[in-house]
Amino acid sequence: MSAIVTHDLSKTYKSLGKATVHSLRNVNMEVQENEIYGFLGRNGAGKTTAIKLLTGLIQATKGRAEIFGEDAVLPSARARIGYLPEHPYFYEYLTPRETIAFYGKLRGLSKDAIRKEWLRISEMLFLDEFADRRIRGFSKGMRQRVGLGVALIGNPPLLLLDEPMSGLDPYGRRMVREIMLRLRAEGKTVFFSSHILTDVEEISDRVGILVSGVLAASGRIKDLTAGAQKAVELCCSGLKDEDVNAITARGIECRRGEEHQVTFILPEVAEAPPLIAEIQQKGGMLLSLIPVLESLEDFFTKLQQREQNPSGKDGADHE
Amino acid sequence: MNRIVTIAQNTFRESIRDKVLYVLLFFALATILGSKVLGWISIGQDIKIIKDISLAAMSVFGALIAIFVGATLVYKEMDKKTLYTILSQPMKRYEFVTGKYLGLVALLGVSLIIMAAGSTLYLKIAGAAIGLIWFQAILLIYIKLLLITAFAILLSTVVSPILGALIVFSFYVGGHATDVLRDLPPQFDGTRAKQVLETLYYVIPNLNLFNVQSEAANMVPVTWPYVFYAVAYGISWTLFLLILACLAFERRDV
Ligand SMILES: Nc1ncnc2c1ncn2[C@@H]1O[C@H](COP(=O)(O)OP(=O)(O)OP(=O)(O)O)[C@@H](O)[C@H]1O
Ligand SMILES: [Mg+2]
């Protein structure tokens, strides 16, 4: 069974005196069980809107969403979700320990179960160091940890994390990444949004890319970038400056490194052999030849450019 | 049920930290004690005036707590986004609204008990006789507060606290003046205004029904059937308004 399925999921915000906003348009998406699904999109693309629809916080204008086969508007669907909002806010006068207990009670856990959950979660997120301090004085990172803790209560099979790494330092990001991997290893499904591409690229099994409310692409990173050009980086040493200049004069990009190392970037593999011959003929030495896949970042940027200047007939309608 | 209790407990705990509450309780107790001063002015009427003012203070300050805390109840949670993590739990929306309501109503109960205890003690010291009617009057004040709180929470699910408080305040004033609406002066006869005002008479609950303050001050007993009727009337209105609040909140985007 799929963890998440959406059918034509759409959300339109209408408010008096303001322009109508189509935050989400006919999104059809499927997230398999036990995968990490990265949900990408720039600010205002509709990531938060989609996640709020999945948690039943807002009503879909059209279409529907299913969580493990159950309609997302039902409380029983929410029993299988752990949700971390974009900016997690809790009662400021409670401590993390009390907060976990409060949400544990809302999830129907017994006192004993709550105590066990606290031990499990606080160990996982290192909450012990501020277990009994009021949230009021917490930093962004501390709040984020409490938020993740709340999402983990009751060990739900699906985690919806809205920008779980935003505002965290590298150490914090790594912690979040490790938790997501650990959750997958435990058989959980993790759905998370981000606009930090490297984070998504590194750990997601699959990604969805949202552009102005439209799911522009979805699939495995490998497949998404399969059609993309494969550039090569050719690193060599021992070339004289004027030889390097002669090559760059033909429009070939290059990076100069230390000890007379030069890296040429060629858009096509086919262009490599003649250049290698030329380098060797001029007394240079080939050090490495590395194919570089177009990264998700480039792919993502291109999609956005296409969306912004739609040349010809391009899927999305602009109202 | 457990979830409702959890929300109620938390609301109670949170409201207790609300500064408004302390300010109002302080003023209420000050008024009750200050009535002594009025007692001096009207010699011989001491006890009667203390009773009258104490009950009026309980009613007014209780209503102010209900209005000002009540009107922020749900709105604040939307505004501060604490609702995101609460409503995304496997809980139903009406459980949240009911829990919030019960939390505030429990707080009002405690506040009223404090005020009542303060004034009763004070009256006892002053040597006053306290009859059943005194406690009946306090009970009816509480019923009235239940109703006002239900209206306040209904508004807090749809409008901002300031607007909500204003509306509930008008409701409070209007509810005490329903007799005026019914007994309009003859100038209104046949006008559109009369129709509107008469309709209002029927759609605004009559809050005067809960007012037996002068009976209590004068030690005039009221019948039990009257008290039961007033309680039933108050509870019916309360349930109606609460159901409206739950319905208004059921499909709301947060
Ligand atoms: N309550 C609302 N009323 C009106 N418009 C809204 C509302 N919430 C979101 N929007 C609009 O919907 C669009 C998508 O917003 P959303 O918050 O889903 O984007 P996002 O992808 O999460 O962005 P970010 O990366 O900044 O978090 C935006 O244009 C936003 O202005
Ligand atoms: Mg967002």
Side-chain angles (χ1 to χ4, degrees), chain A residues 41-96:
Chain A
R42 61 162 66 163
N43 292 134
K47 305 181 294 293
T48 300
T49 304
I51 293 179
K52 279 164 91 180
L53 284 167
L54 294 176
T55 54
L57 287 174
I58 55 177
Q59 305 265 329
T61 316
K62 203 182 98 194
R64 66 204 162 84
E66 282 170 12
I67 307 292
F68 296 107
E70 265 185 298
D71 196 319
V73 301
L74 298 172
S76 51
R78 269 173 260 146
R80 308 168 110 173
I81 292 177
Y83 167 51
L84 170 72
E86 190 167 5
H87 307 284
Y89 287 102
F90 301 104
Y91 293 122
E92 302 272 295
Y93 51 86
L94 296 182
T95 66

Side-chain angles (χ1 to χ4, degrees), chain A residues 23-306:
Chain A
S23 300
L24 217 59
R25 305 181 216 204
N26 303 318
V27 170
N28 290 293
M29 177 170 66
E30 188 174 352
V31 176
Q32 251 102 58
E33 241 175 295
N34 201 9
E35 71 174 341
I36 298 183
Y37 190 95
F39 201 41
L40 276 166
R42 61 162 66 163
N43 292 134
K47 305 181 294 293
T48 300
T49 304
I51 293 179
K52 279 164 91 180
L53 284 167
L54 294 176
T55 54
L57 287 174
I58 55 177
Q59 305 265 329
T61 316
K62 203 182 98 194
R64 66 204 162 84
E66 282 170 12
I67 307 292
F68 296 107
E70 265 185 298
D71 196 319
V73 301
L74 298 172
S76 51
R78 269 173 260 146
R80 308 168 110 173
I81 292 177
Y83 167 51
L84 170 72
E86 190 167 5
H87 307 284
Y89 287 102
F90 301 104
Y91 293 122
E92 302 272 295
Y93 51 86
L94 296 182
T95 66
R97 196 195 298 275
E98 291 165 334
T99 304
I100 299 286
F102 173 70
Y103 288 93
K105 279 193 237 166
L106 291 185
R107 281 195 102 91
L109 300 184
S110 69
K111 273 216 167 75
D112 209 41
I114 288 174
R115 202 161 339 132
K116 285 196 186 115
E117 279 300 80
W118 167 257
L119 290 177
R120 181 179 76 90
I121 290 166
S122 63
E123 175 262 331
M124 208 159 159
L125 293 158
F126 312 103
L127 293 180
D128 267 325
E129 48 185 297
F130 43 75
D132 297 309
R133 269 166 57 191
R134 291 190 199 293
I135 292 178
R136 191 181 307 287
F138 279 19
S139 71
K140 167 79 186 158
M142 289 151 96
R143 279 166 199 267
Q144 197 78 353
R145 270 147 82 181
V146 178
L148 269 171
V150 168
L152 293 174
I153 298 172
N155 225 351
L158 170 63
L159 288 125
L160 301 176
L161 313 176
D162 198 351
E163 310 221 7
M165 302 178 206
S166 78
L168 297 184
D169 59 18
Y171 177 77
R173 312 176 88 79
R174 197 171 69 224
M175 186 188 74
V176 171
R177 210 154 41 223
E178 275 161 12
I179 285 171
M180 288 202 260
L181 291 170
R182 176 165 163 185
L183 288 167
R184 183 177 60 186
E186 290 172 5
K188 311 267 167 17
T189 309
V190 181
F191 179 94
F192 78 107
S193 77
S194 176
H195 42 226
I196 295 149
L197 297 141
T198 45
D199 288 341
V200 178
E201 227 169 359
E202 246 168 74
I203 60 166
S204 307
D205 298 305
R206 292 195 309 140
V207 296
I209 300 174
L210 207 55
V211 181
S212 311
V214 176
L215 191 66
S218 165
R220 300 194 328 173
I221 296 170
K222 260 195 197 135
D223 298 339
L224 288 184
T225 52
Q229 284 178 340
K230 292 170 186 68
V232 284
E233 288 188 357
L234 194 158
C235 184
C236 61
S237 67
L239 279 186
K240 288 193 280 296
D241 268 357
E242 63 247 42
D243 295 333
V244 174
N245 290 341
I247 295 169
T248 54
R250 302 206 297 268
I252 292 172
E253 234 180 293
C254 105
R255 265 199 322 261
R256 283 168 208 260
E258 281 158 45
E259 318 221 339
H260 299 286
Q261 279 191 13
V262 183
T263 305
F264 295 104
I265 297 131
L266 299 171
E268 294 280 354
V269 191
E271 292 176 29
L275 187 62
I276 293 169
E278 185 183 344
I279 290 166
Q280 283 169 342
Q281 186 207 330
K282 290 189 170 147
M285 186 166 67
L286 181 66
L287 295 174
S288 69
L289 179 66
I290 307 167
V292 284
L293 265 182
E294 181 184 47
S295 76
L296 198 55
E297 176 140 19
D298 301 331
F299 182 74
F300 183 42
T301 316
K302 267 187 220 159
L303 264 177
Q304 267 177 359
Q305 281 161 355
R306 211 186 310 155

Side-chain angles (χ1 to χ4, degrees), chain B residues 14-36:
Chain B
E14 183 184 6
S15 311
I16 279 210
R17 311 177 148 265
D18 219 328
K19 288 183 196 74
V20 183
L21 181 71
Y22 291 114
V23 173
L24 290 177
L25 269 180
F26 171 79
F27 275 110
L29 288 175
T31 313
I32 290 167
L33 298 181
S35 59
K36 179 77 182 161

Side-chain angles (χ1 to χ4, degrees), chain A residues 11 13 52 55-59 75 78-79 83 85 89-91 93-94 98 102-103 105-107 134 150, chain B residues 3 6-7 9-10 13-14 17 77 80-82 84-93 251-254:
Chain A
K11 179 69 186 176
Y13 284 108
K52 279 164 91 180
T55 54
L57 287 174
I58 55 177
Q59 305 265 329
R78 269 173 260 146
Y83 167 51
Y89 287 102
F90 301 104
Y91 293 122
Y93 51 86
L94 296 182
E98 291 165 334
F102 173 70
Y103 288 93
K105 279 193 237 166
L106 291 185
R107 281 195 102 91
R134 291 190 199 293
V150 168
Chain B
R3 289 189 286 262
T6 306
I7 296 287
Q9 281 171 343
N10 194 66
R13 206 176 147 179
E14 183 184 6
R17 311 177 148 265
E77 303 236 2
K80 297 221 165 140
K81 302 193 167 114
T82 42
Y84 286 9
T85 39
I86 293 176
L87 292 185
S88 58
Q89 301 300 324
M91 88 182 305
K92 300 183 186 77
R93 296 239 172 147
R251 315 211 78 206
R252 200 180 195 297
D253 284 353
V254 295

